[in-house]
Amino acid sequence: EHKVYGIEFSTLGGRMARFEEACQVVTGLLNNEKTDFQGKHYQLTEAPLAPKPVQSPLPLLIGGGGEQKTLKIAAKYANEWNVWGTPEILAHKGAILNRYCDEIGRDPKTIKHSTQGMLVLTDDASVVERMRASGRPIIGGTGGQGGGVVERYSRAGVGQVIRSHFNPGGAGGGEKGQMDRFNSEVMAHFA
């Protein structure tokens, strides 16, 4: 797609530099009547954005867990930060994000944390292990075990866990059965 549209793919460092400038441009457009920006990759002169979004401010979600660049960019610009990972990974990367916020004088509590995982609620431990082998984070096992995973995400600072629809086969009951079981067995622990 980069070739087809004539967009330079660049190196990872080049893409991250464009991404950081893009965050500045989007933030300016959302928050100002007219935006001026002179960067290496983007230049705007009295650029308008109209109509403005109804939600103000419109939150900027930054996804990714790169500890050297992405989390620094998220510390500067994100209203919400999202990354795939286990509760332990989210706790580790969240601590790094908080450190970057401290370095620039931003209250880390102003950034919401979210993640996603596959829902695999079943009493069959072999299904849970097979799904774990996929490498994706899962909320799996019995309802109580799934509730334990959600609780660990909460302790890691995650305020929203998004249920992924990547389940290749997954547990029984289909989509509706999994959600019904989640609502009755997992969420019941948090009511």
Side-chain angles (χ1 to χ4, degrees), residues 2 8-20 41 73:
H2 284 82
E8 178 194 0
F9 187 66
S10 190
T11 63
L12 178 59
R15 292 191 305 273
M16 293 306 293
R18 280 199 318 249
F19 177 59
E20 182 162 10
H41 304 284
I73 295 170

Side-chain angles (χ1 to χ4, degrees), residues 85-88 90-91 113-121 132 137-163 178-179 181-183 185-191:
T86 63
E88 295 75 25
L90 271 286
H113 295 202
S114 64
T115 191
Q116 49 279 329
M118 296 188 300
L119 187 60
V120 186
L121 296 177
R132 272 202 184 97
I138 67 166
I139 300 166
T142 64
Q145 291 167 330
V149 174
V150 172
E151 178 61 35
R152 289 191 349 256
Y153 275 120
S154 179
R155 284 195 307 267
V158 174
Q160 180 179 23
V161 178
I162 302 161
R163 184 202 173 222
Q178 285 290 290
M179 289 309 298
R181 190 166 181 183
F182 181 81
N183 289 334
E185 295 180 30
V186 175
M187 291 311 296
H189 296 284
F190 300 98

Side-chain angles (χ1 to χ4, degrees), residues 30 55 57-61 79-80:
L30 290 172
Q55 183 178 352
L58 185 68
L60 180 61
L61 184 147
N79 302 101
E80 182 173 339

Side-chain angles (χ1 to χ4, degrees), residues 74-79 98 101-108 110-111:
K76 288 181 189 176
Y77 304 105
N79 302 101
N98 291 349
C101 285
D102 290 341
E103 288 175 6
I104 63 170
R106 181 174 184 187
D107 180 356
T110 63
I111 303 174

Side-chain angles (χ1 to χ4, degrees), residues 60-84:
L60 180 61
L61 184 147
I62 294 180
E67 296 178 10
Q68 299 301 311
K69 303 250 186 205
T70 306
L71 293 177
K72 281 183 181 179
I73 295 170
K76 288 181 189 176
Y77 304 105
N79 302 101
E80 182 173 339
W81 165 67
N82 178 282
V83 69
W84 276 93

